[in-house]
Amino acid sequence: MTLAANSATSFPSSTAQRAPSPRPRRSASTSTLGISLITLAALIALWFLAAHFEWASPLFLPSPGEVLTQFSAVWADGYANGTLLDHTLASLTRIAAALGVGIFLGIPLGLLMGLNRWVKGIFSVPIDLYWGLPPLAYLPLLIIWLGIGETSKIVLLSLSTFAPICFAAQAGVRSVPAERINAALSLGASRLQLFTSIILPSALPEIMTGLKIAIGAGLSTLVAAELIAAQSGLGYMIMSAANFLATDVVFVGLIVIAILAFAFTSGMRWLEHRLIPWKGKI
Amino acid sequence: MLRIRDASVTFPASDGPDVHALDHVSLDIAPDSIVVAVGASGCGKSTLLNAIAGFLPLSEGSITLDGKEIVAPGGDRGVVFQKDTLLPWANVLDNVALGLKYRGMSRGERHERSRRLLELVGLADFAEKPPYELSGGMRQRVGIARALATDPKILLMDEPFGALDSLTRETMQQLLASVWAKTGKQILFITHSIEEALMLGTTIVVMSPRPGRIVARFDADFVRDFAERGDIGPIQSHPRFIELRQEIRSLIHQPEGARTGTLQ
Ligand SMILES: Nc1ncnc2c1ncn2[C@@H]1O[C@H](COP(=O)(O)OP(=O)(O)O)[C@@H](O)[C@H]1O
Ligand SMILES: [Mg+2]
């Protein structure tokens, strides 16, 4: 009897407690952030310990302090024909140019490929073919055709950002629910209105995903390209430093690239929140 | 006046014989009437509605609206789908105003008109909300308001309340009955619920599968009473209601062999 009475009184109160908690998702994401920060701190602490007790030779693993000193030195005095800012800006300019080309060619062509079977038929074969190749494999060819200067690098990077954006725009068009299109047509939409008011916004989440993939692909191709043929850029700086076993400068370069990648990811997440807050709803 | 003459739709099947989803169906929908098509799943109800909406071409026959042949979707036929098709990036008001925007109506004018329609369906307070913050029943009401906004000649509704719980469903039926009484819009309504068909239809057509045909039609008048009183109870215990429900039920549940036997 007491048991029954207990459960009868405790049950409603527990549901009443649960009801007002407004957004369980957000609390989950903040708790992940805390764990991530702790992991990061632990990794840095491990680095300190490893360097302090010389688990590896200082030649291979510089201490955090040395890297910090080297960071300000490279920032102020430069390394390999340029300051850290010069190299970073050189890399950023290339990736921005490549993203620009990828967006301005990839989105329209991808949309057209999603809309028209002729356009898709004509363009999907060449894009599929080159997208299957490792960029560094055709870089020598681009250098032969376009020279060692900026053009060959920007073309190389544009090729690696273009394909994912183009594929995503195409997938975005094809992901529009048929009923949404039918509904708009029954409301009297013209072809142009159908495109601007239904197809384009419906494809936006896919396009944003493609953009994220393009940034990743561009960043990795960029550094690889600068390792092989460049006179500036973070990849070039890392490669020059490695040639002289300046491991601390290599670390500086890697940290800057990691920060850039993180900034791009966060920026994209912010853009998604702003542009498509409805993603995944309905 | 919507006129359907000998309309047939055949789908090619990957295995076996073609599917005759609609087989020589003829039907008129007069202004001021609600025609309800009722039948088991797969008897061609959606195919009929999709053909009228212009989403599907006919294999044979013709459908005309006020003498004009239907060849494509258009703003003269408003459609309400079973699953709502509201745009998640626009708020409720802009969703209702979508068809008016397509017609080039000014922003102020289309918002004013959309607000009146939201009042009609009881959602005036939700105009600024995004649709995904609304319940299923509310979203269907927005869908109805959106379809009515452009003042189409006919409203086509394909099991619009099929996905709702029974209480919400009753509220929605009342709402539709009163909207119809106020606007006098001609409506084609599709359902597999016999009660719903009788509550809402001025004409009820019973369909049967393989091939999709109209096997019987009945006239009913419960919807006027329903719109006035808004109460299902007394209507559903009316002797005529019970009699019709029994008759339609036995038509729908008749084994296929027996039915083709009587038709031949
Ligand atoms: N696009 C299609 N392709 C092939 N067969 C279809 C298609 N649409 C419907 N059918 C078939 O046509 C018949 C009628 O379908 P439908 O009109 O959706 O029935 P209901 O809406 O009454 O449940 C069913 O046998 C279904 O399998
Ligand atoms: Mg159906």
Side-chain angles (χ1 to χ4, degrees):
Chain A
M1 283 303 258
T2 47
L3 194 70
N6 260 343
S7 65
T9 50
S10 70
F11 183 64
S13 75
S14 76
T15 50
Q17 274 171 352
R18 211 175 306 146
S21 115
R23 267 174 212 158
R25 262 223 203 134
R26 172 171 291 188
S27 72
S29 81
T30 44
S31 71
T32 320
L33 179 68
I35 296 169
S36 305
L37 285 177
I38 292 169
T39 314
L40 189 64
L43 281 174
I44 292 174
L46 194 66
W47 180 15
F48 262 108
L49 288 177
H52 183 76
F53 294 109
E54 300 204 352
W55 294 344
S57 149
L59 190 62
F60 298 145
L61 186 70
S63 73
E66 280 171 57
V67 171
L68 206 62
T69 317
Q70 198 54 253
F71 193 100
S72 58
V74 177
W75 181 265
D77 311 330
Y79 191 91
N81 324 324
T83 64
L84 187 56
L85 193 62
D86 293 336
H87 290 303
T88 308
L89 285 180
S91 291
L92 276 179
T93 310
R94 287 174 191 141
I95 205 154
L99 278 176
V101 174
I103 288 169
F104 284 106
L105 295 181
I107 292 180
L109 185 65
L111 292 173
L112 279 174
M113 286 170 76
L115 291 170
N116 184 294
R117 117 193 130 81
W118 275 95
V119 183
K120 179 178 161 65
I122 291 169
F123 286 96
S124 62
V125 172
I127 297 175
D128 277 338
L129 276 181
Y130 96 74
W131 179 242
L133 297 171
L136 292 189
Y138 54 79
L139 175 59
L141 192 61
L142 290 179
I143 291 175
I144 293 172
W145 287 346
L146 302 168
I148 191 97
E150 281 304 293
T151 319
S152 59
K153 274 186 279 296
I154 288 176
V155 169
L156 179 81
L157 291 183
S158 301
L159 284 170
S160 67
T161 56
F162 166 81
I165 294 176
C166 180
F167 288 143
Q170 199 183 327
V173 172
R174 275 176 300 162
S175 74
V176 187
E179 287 193 338
R180 198 177 269 175
I181 290 176
N182 281 341
L185 290 174
S186 307
L187 289 168
S190 68
R191 292 230 150 253
L192 182 66
Q193 286 168 333
L194 187 68
F195 178 75
T196 54
S197 74
I198 306 290
I199 293 175
L200 204 52
S202 299
L204 202 53
E206 291 274 1
I207 293 177
M208 295 296 284
T209 306
L211 209 52
K212 282 193 274 189
I213 298 172
I215 290 174
L219 214 54
S220 53
T221 311
L222 167 82
V223 176
E226 288 175 346
L227 289 176
I228 293 177
Q231 296 304 312
S232 64
L234 292 167
Y236 168 70
M237 187 186 90
I238 288 174
M239 199 57 186
S240 312
N243 286 338
F244 294 99
L245 274 181
T247 324
D248 42 8
V249 179
V250 174
F251 266 72
V252 170
L254 289 179
I255 288 171
V256 173
I257 293 173
I259 291 172
L260 287 184
F262 180 77
F264 275 127
T265 313
S266 311
M268 284 304 295
R269 209 171 292 158
W270 177 82
L271 254 187
E272 280 193 333
H273 270 286
R274 290 299 306 265
L275 289 181
I276 40 173
W278 43 270
K279 185 184 178 180
K281 313 268 174 63
I282 297 190
Chain B
M1 175 75 125
L2 185 89
R3 222 177 256 278
I4 306 170
R5 285 289 171 275
D6 280 323
S8 300
V9 173
T10 309
F11 293 113
S14 49
D15 52 338
D18 292 353
V19 181
H20 294 276
L22 215 57
D23 188 42
H24 296 280
V25 165
S26 296
L27 178 68
D28 285 349
I29 301 179
D32 215 23
S33 66
I34 304 187
V35 174
V36 180
V38 64
S41 174
C43 68
K45 305 184 296 291
S46 295
T47 305
L48 175 66
L49 184 135
N50 289 339
I52 299 171
F55 304 151
L56 266 184
L58 289 179
S59 316
E60 263 179 77
S62 74
I63 305 177
T64 55
L65 181 59
D66 292 345
K68 228 179 79 199
E69 177 103 25
I70 284 168
V71 288
D76 52 352
R77 285 147 288 148
V79 184
V80 180
F81 299 82
Q82 173 165 13
K83 194 179 154 290
D84 76 81
T85 52
L86 303 177
L87 306 179
W89 52 83
N91 66 20
V92 164
L93 189 66
D94 283 323
N95 265 288
V96 175
L98 189 61
L100 301 173
K101 188 178 177 187
Y102 289 152
R103 297 192 175 183
M105 188 182 277
S106 76
R107 190 184 159 85
E109 213 176 328
R110 63 177 191 255
H111 277 184
E112 189 195 312
R113 188 164 168 163
S114 302
R115 271 184 211 284
R116 276 207 304 277
L117 279 155
L118 281 176
E119 263 163 44
L120 181 73
V121 298
L123 286 178
D125 295 341
F126 294 85
E128 320 297 335
K129 290 237 186 266
Y132 49 81
E133 285 181 14
L134 269 53
S135 70
M138 289 171 164
R139 281 192 238 169
Q140 275 315 42
R141 283 192 263 172
V142 178
I144 293 172
R146 181 178 73 172
L148 285 172
T150 50
D151 198 19
K153 289 179 184 158
I154 185 170
L155 208 54
L156 306 170
M157 310 179 80
D158 190 354
E159 306 202 25
F161 311 146
L164 304 177
D165 65 85
S166 59
L167 290 176
T168 312
R169 193 176 178 146
E170 249 173 53
T171 321
M172 295 296 292
Q173 290 164 350
Q174 269 165 33
L175 177 92
L176 185 67
S178 76
V179 164
W180 174 76
K182 277 180 210 159
T183 62
K185 188 92 15 199
Q186 55 186 318
I187 296 175
L188 173 67
F189 189 98
I190 280 171
T191 182
H192 57 250
S193 154
I194 300 169
E195 282 82 9
E196 189 168 68
L198 286 168
M199 295 305 298
L200 295 175
T202 57
T203 300
I204 295 137
V205 296
V206 182
M207 295 184 66
S208 78
R210 277 173 299 270
R213 280 187 183 148
I214 293 177
V215 290
R217 55 182 297 157
F218 301 92
D219 289 326
D221 208 12
F222 303 109
V223 63
R224 285 172 218 281
D225 209 20
F226 185 34
E228 259 170 48
R229 288 200 285 178
D231 191 0
I232 289 188
I235 299 174
Q236 293 206 339
S237 53
H238 195 283
R240 177 74 183 138
F241 188 98
I242 296 171
E243 188 190 331
L244 278 173
R245 181 172 60 192
Q246 195 46 47
E247 207 170 331
I248 295 173
R249 176 164 299 158
S250 63
L251 274 168
I252 290 176
H253 291 304
Q254 217 170 68
E256 264 171 61
R259 190 167 44 227
T260 41
T262 53
L263 281 175
Q264 287 162 357

